[in-house]
Structures are given as C-alpha cells and as structure tokens.
C-alpha cells in the first residue's frame, strides 16, 4: 500500500505542476479578424443580378495558373457608384440583346502582392503559352503588365466584356490542358461566350491595346461598342487593355484596400 500511496502522490504532484505551468503560460494570441469592406462597397449582384460574373481569379485559369490570394468566393465587389453605373449600362445593353460580363472587380492588395511574387519567379512560366506568348517574363514590370499597386484595389475599377444573348455556357478550364495563344483566332483560343474582341482576357500583348490598328472589322467594332457604352455612364478605359475601365470620380481615389473577395466582406450590401 505504501508503494501505491507513493505513486498516487507522485501523479498528483505532476498534475499540479502541469496546472501551474499552464496557468503561468500566456494565453495564445487571438487571430486577427479579416478586414471588412467599408461603407460604400457593395456586391454587384445586389445592384444588378443580370450582369454575368465569371470571376477568373477564383479559378486556375489565370496567368499564374492558380487561384489568386484573397479571392475566396466568386463575387464581384465594387464601390456603389461604380456598381450603379454598370447597372445603367446593362439596362441599355439588354435592350440591344447584349449583357455585360465581369472578369474582375475589386482586387485586394494581397492579390497584387501575389502577382508581384509570381512575376519575380522567372522559372514559373506554366501559362506563358496562353497569356504572354511573345513577352519575356523578365520584362513584365518594365512593360507595365505587372505593378506593385493596382487601381482595382481602390474598388472602382472593373475588367469586363460583352456577351451576345442568349449567353452560351462556357466550359471550365482543365489544369494542364494544351494552351493556345490569347491572340489566336477566336475559334482556336480558350472558349469564351463573349463577343470577339480580338484577344482573350488578360492577354499580355500590344494587341490588347484598345485602339491597336491591327484590330479591325467586327473585333474593333465590338471594342468600340463596349468603350462607348461604358464611357456614357462615367467609366474611363485604360488604353492598354480593352477590358479595363475605371468609374470616375473614384469614391476612394487614394486608398488601396486588402479585405478578401468574400460575400462576408459586404454582408447585407
């Protein structure tokens, strides 16, 4: 019995030591909650549910070949004035048998940082065959295709195109599938239900310049139709990218946000 009491006392002493150590240890740091979008941001779908959303950066069909940091859900988030302006444009387009389709809207700074890390990794060229066939990756910064800040992070910039109605379905990208150049004829490049703009979205090539003189005929007409429609409701086109438009005046002209692309970021808006 003496031996048993000794064992029990030893176990009790050890347990007490653990309790003391636990009590003395600092409490684990609480995880910082994710930032939310400030007032002034909304989900585009709450303003106009008819605009087609194909949020590319939530998928692997990107120039990185993977989902982009910060894109948790396929939801377009914009400042309210930009969303309302798209709604006005959409109403006009629907009467003409077209719809807008957005590829990207608000973009968190962490996503831009992801772009920068990828651009500095010159060994990662998995998606070169589609998105930058003729551009040396070492020139992406100098040529202006990648930058450390993006107007998208201010919330009033959107990447978009036109779709002729009724909209046909588009198949998902299959990672590892053969790649076709983004400037190939429409029937050869990755299928998209948009009208033919002469290049695909995010095509790192001078052919993506909105007014490139090599783009003629129906392709040029489509670009001008998109540009004219959005200019009429207050958007300004980036000349180097036919798909890129910023609503002016910007609600947050000097602030680059980093809340995630997630419905919870704009809950109730």
């Amino acid at each position: 019995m003496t031996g048993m009491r000794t064992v029990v006392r030893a176990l009790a002493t050890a347990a007490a030591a653990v309790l003391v150590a636990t009590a003395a240890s600092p409490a684990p740091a609480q995880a910082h909650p994710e930032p939310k979008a400030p007032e002034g941001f909304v989900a585009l779908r709450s303003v106009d549910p008819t605009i087609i959303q194909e949020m590319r950066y939530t998928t692997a069909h990107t120039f990185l070949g993977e989902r982009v940091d910060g894109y948790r859900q396929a939801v377009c988030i914009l400042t309210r004035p930009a969303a309302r302006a798209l709604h006005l444009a959409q109403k006009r387009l629907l009467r003409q048998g077209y719809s807008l389709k957005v590829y990207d809207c608000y973009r968190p700074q962490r996503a831009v940082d992801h772009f920068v890390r990828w651009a500095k990794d010159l060994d990662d060229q998995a998606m070169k065959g589609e998105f930058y066939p003729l551009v040396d990756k070492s020139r992406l910064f100098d040529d202006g295709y990648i930058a450390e800040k993006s107007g998208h992070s201010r919330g009033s910039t959107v990447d978009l195109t036109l779709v002729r109605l009724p909209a046909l379905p588009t198949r998902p990208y299959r990672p590892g599938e053969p790649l076709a150049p983004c400037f190939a004829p429409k029937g050869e490049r990755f299928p998209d239900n948009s009208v033919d703009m002469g290049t695909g979205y995010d095509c790192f090539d001078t052919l993506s310049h909105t007014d490139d003189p090599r783009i003629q005929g129906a392709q040029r007409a489509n670009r001008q139709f998109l540009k004219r429609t959005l200019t009429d409701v207050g958007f300004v086109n980036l000349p180097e990218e036919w798909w890129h438009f910023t609503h002016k005046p910007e609600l947050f002209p000097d602030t680059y946000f980093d809340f995630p692309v997630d419905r919870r970021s704009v809950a109730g808006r």
Side-chain angles (χ1 to χ4, degrees):
M1 290 298 294
T2 301
M4 180 62 69
R5 286 195 295 270
T6 301
V7 170
V8 170
R9 284 197 299 272
L11 289 173
T13 301
V18 169
L19 289 172
V20 171
T22 301
S25 299
Q30 296 295 314
H32 292 293
E34 284 284 13
K36 302 288 187 182
E39 291 297 325
F41 278 87
V42 295
L44 175 61
R45 200 172 299 281
S46 70
V47 176
D48 193 317
T50 71
I51 295 174
I52 300 168
Q53 298 190 25
E54 186 182 312
M55 300 294 289
R56 284 285 186 88
Y57 295 152
T58 64
T59 77
H61 191 211
T62 69
F63 55 85
L64 296 80
E66 62 182 355
R67 176 193 287 257
V68 179
D69 288 356
Y71 285 83
R72 298 183 180 172
Q73 294 178 318
V75 53
C76 172
I77 297 173
L78 288 170
T79 57
R80 190 179 299 276
R84 286 176 172 170
L86 288 185
H87 172 60
L88 291 177
Q90 178 75 346
K91 287 200 301 183
R92 299 178 187 180
L93 288 168
L94 290 174
R95 291 195 293 266
Q96 301 174 74
Y98 292 90
S99 173
L100 293 171
K101 179 172 80 169
V102 296
Y103 293 116
D104 190 35
C105 303
Y106 157 75
R107 179 185 304 164
Q109 181 60 45
R110 69 191 76 180
V112 180
D113 295 342
H114 192 180
F115 291 175
V116 170
R117 292 195 305 274
W118 167 83
K120 290 179 178 179
D121 182 2
L122 299 184
D123 293 329
D124 181 357
Q125 304 204 26
M127 302 299 285
K128 178 178 176 64
E130 178 173 354
F131 291 97
Y132 53 107
L134 302 181
V135 179
D136 191 296
K137 191 175 181 184
S138 65
R139 297 219 31 101
L140 292 181
F141 289 103
D142 291 340
D143 291 351
Y145 294 112
I146 301 292
E148 295 189 353
K149 294 289 184 180
S150 170
H152 281 275
S153 301
R154 300 193 297 264
S156 295
T157 295
V158 60
D159 293 341
L160 75 177
T161 189
L162 292 171
V163 175
R164 184 72 179 175
L165 297 173
L168 299 174
T170 57
R171 71 166 177 82
Y173 168 75
R174 297 184 293 270
E177 70 176 82
L179 303 177
C182 53
F183 48 70
K186 183 172 174 61
E188 297 177 16
R189 58 184 185 260
F190 186 83
D192 191 312
N193 62 359
S194 70
V195 302
D196 188 1
M197 295 290 190
T199 75
Y201 170 57
D202 262 356
C203 186
F204 295 0
D205 193 276
T206 54
L207 282 170
S208 293
H209 292 187
T210 307
D211 294 318
D212 189 286
R214 294 168 293 176
I215 302 297
Q216 294 293 326
Q219 297 171 339
R220 186 174 191 84
N222 289 335
R223 291 187 182 190
Q224 294 305 314
F225 181 28
L226 176 64
K227 180 179 178 181
R228 185 170 60 252
T229 301
L230 292 178
T231 298
D232 286 348
V233 295
F235 284 91
V236 176
N237 175 238
L238 179 67
E240 290 77 20
E241 297 175 352
W242 60 256
W243 55 81
H244 180 118
F245 291 84
T246 300
H247 187 259
K248 301 288 186 174
E250 293 185 65
L251 189 60
F252 301 103
D254 303 310
T255 307
Y256 296 84
F257 295 97
D258 193 39
F259 58 86
V261 177
D262 188 306
R263 293 181 187 87
R264 289 173 293 185
S265 294
V266 287
R269 287 179 265 154

